[in-house]
């Protein structure tokens, strides 16, 4: 049964149940909401922090966990030194703490197995997070929907979920991982050492058994614009491309 997005979801308390460092600047936090909810792969939640003087800061974070995990959600939060929310999580938050959360939110940038495939996923930096939920959803459903993920990061140590993604790639079950590093040489023969371009996107499309049914792009504004243009340059129709942007 399809879970519907809830734009008017009320705020609720959620307890941090687990914390795991992913990269030098990204840490995963698992939250158990007081009122558990179902979500779709690609959706996000809002987080609200309230200072003692009443000042509030809100940020949206994509859900990294698959819908099948149930009961709680994983958020992979990147530290932004000038941010109002991420430094709290990286420097202060601990297991057992309660924060305010609402969701799930978003009804456009989602994928379910019933949407079919093949699908092409393109992520830049922490933009890989909602795409990871889609990859995990496919894996846990034991479906053979062909998926190619092109993930751009500056360096090897900033590849979020690196070991998990490489492990899934090694299964050779229709999931293909393409890493492109923009500030150091590629570590694997099938990867790249440059920014995303139309030629790279065309080669990613060739990894799929047929043309993609849908393409999803997530990252900064500049990254999404460049990646979407590259996809169109590779022959992917604009109407098949769904995008999610953050930051500047």
């Amino acid at each position: 049964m399809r879970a519907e997005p809830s734009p008017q979801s009320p705020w609720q308390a959620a307890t941090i149940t687990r914390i795991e460092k992913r990269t030098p600047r990204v840490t995963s936090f698992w939250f158990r909401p007081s009122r558990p909810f179902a979500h779709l792969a690609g959706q996000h939640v809002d987080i609200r922090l309230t200072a003692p003087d009443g000042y509030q800061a809100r940020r949206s974070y994509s859900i990294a966990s698959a819908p099948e995990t149930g009961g709680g959600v994983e958020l992979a939060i990147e530290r932004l030194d000038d941010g109002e929310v991420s430094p709290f999580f990286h420097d202060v938050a601990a297991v057992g703490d309660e924060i305010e959360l609402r969701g799930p939110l978003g009804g456009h940038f989602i994928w379910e197995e019933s949407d079919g495939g093949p699908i092409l996923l393109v992520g830049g930096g922490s933009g890989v997070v909602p795409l990871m939920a889609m990859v995990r959803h496919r894996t846990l459903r034991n479906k053979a929907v062909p998926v190619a993920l092109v993930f751009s990061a500056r360096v090897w140590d900033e590849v979020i979920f690196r070991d998990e993604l490489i492990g899934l790639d090694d299964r050779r079950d229709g999931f293909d991982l393409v890493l492109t590093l923009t500030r150091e040489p590629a570590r694997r023969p099938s990867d790249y050492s440059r920014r995303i371009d139309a030629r790279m996107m065309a080669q990613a499309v060739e990894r799929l058994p047929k043309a993609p049914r849908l393409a999803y792009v997530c990252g900064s504004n500049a990254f999404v614009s460049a990646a979407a243009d590259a996809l169109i340059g590779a022959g992917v129709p604009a109407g098949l491309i769904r995008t999610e942007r953050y930051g500047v």
Side-chain angles (χ1 to χ4, degrees):
M1 182 176 180
R2 188 182 182 90
E4 293 299 326
S6 304
Q8 302 303 319
S9 295
W11 292 99
Q12 62 167 303
T15 304
I16 298 175
T17 60
R18 178 183 167 195
I19 300 174
E20 180 180 334
K21 195 79 169 175
R22 294 292 189 182
T23 74
R25 300 191 65 82
V26 176
T27 298
S28 280
F29 296 83
W30 280 261
F31 297 88
R32 184 179 66 246
S34 56
R35 297 186 300 277
F37 52 79
H39 73 277
L40 302 173
Q43 288 188 301
H44 64 276
V45 298
D46 286 346
I47 295 290
R48 181 169 70 184
L49 302 179
T50 302
D53 63 1
Y55 176 78
Q56 294 183 329
R58 303 179 186 180
R59 291 295 182 272
S60 296
Y61 292 104
S62 295
I63 300 172
S65 44
E68 290 77 11
T69 54
V73 294
E74 175 191 353
L75 307 181
I77 298 177
E78 180 178 12
R79 181 190 180 96
L80 302 177
D81 293 333
D82 59 350
E84 292 185 306
V85 173
S86 65
F88 165 81
F89 282 104
H90 283 259
D91 298 338
V92 179
V95 171
D97 287 350
E98 281 194 353
I99 57 91
E100 286 187 291
L101 170 154
R102 70 175 177 183
L105 305 168
H108 172 69
F109 197 80
I110 57 176
W111 180 78
E112 297 182 274
E113 60 169 309
S114 59
D115 293 325
I119 60 171
L120 178 58
L121 310 176
V122 186
S126 58
V128 76
V129 175
L131 308 181
M132 192 66 194
M134 298 177 190
V135 170
R136 288 168 164 170
H137 175 51
R138 171 194 180 271
T139 301
L140 291 174
R141 298 292 292 178
N142 295 314
K143 295 298 180 181
V145 175
V147 175
L149 168 61
V150 181
F151 182 5
S152 175
R154 293 183 301 180
V155 298
W156 181 252
D157 286 343
E158 292 181 2
V159 177
I160 311 168
F161 310 115
R162 187 184 67 202
D163 293 343
E164 182 178 354
L165 286 169
I166 291 175
L168 292 173
D169 189 38
D170 289 342
R171 292 167 55 164
R172 312 313 305 162
D173 67 351
F175 171 73
D176 277 291
L177 172 66
V178 181
L179 299 176
T180 184
L181 305 180
T182 61
R183 296 191 182 179
E184 69 178 31
R187 300 287 187 93
R188 307 189 309 161
S190 59
D191 293 338
Y192 300 92
S193 302
R194 66 177 193 269
R195 296 184 183 277
I196 283 175
D197 54 33
R199 182 167 173 265
M200 188 188 300
M201 292 296 94
Q203 292 172 339
V205 169
E206 290 173 357
R207 291 172 175 262
L208 299 170
K210 59 181 180 180
R213 180 179 178 86
L214 291 168
Y216 295 81
V217 184
C218 186
S220 67
N221 279 320
F223 175 86
V224 170
S225 295
D229 287 345
L231 283 169
I232 292 170
V236 178
L240 301 182
I241 302 172
R242 299 182 182 180
T243 61
E244 184 98 313
R245 302 167 184 262
Y246 63 82
V248 295

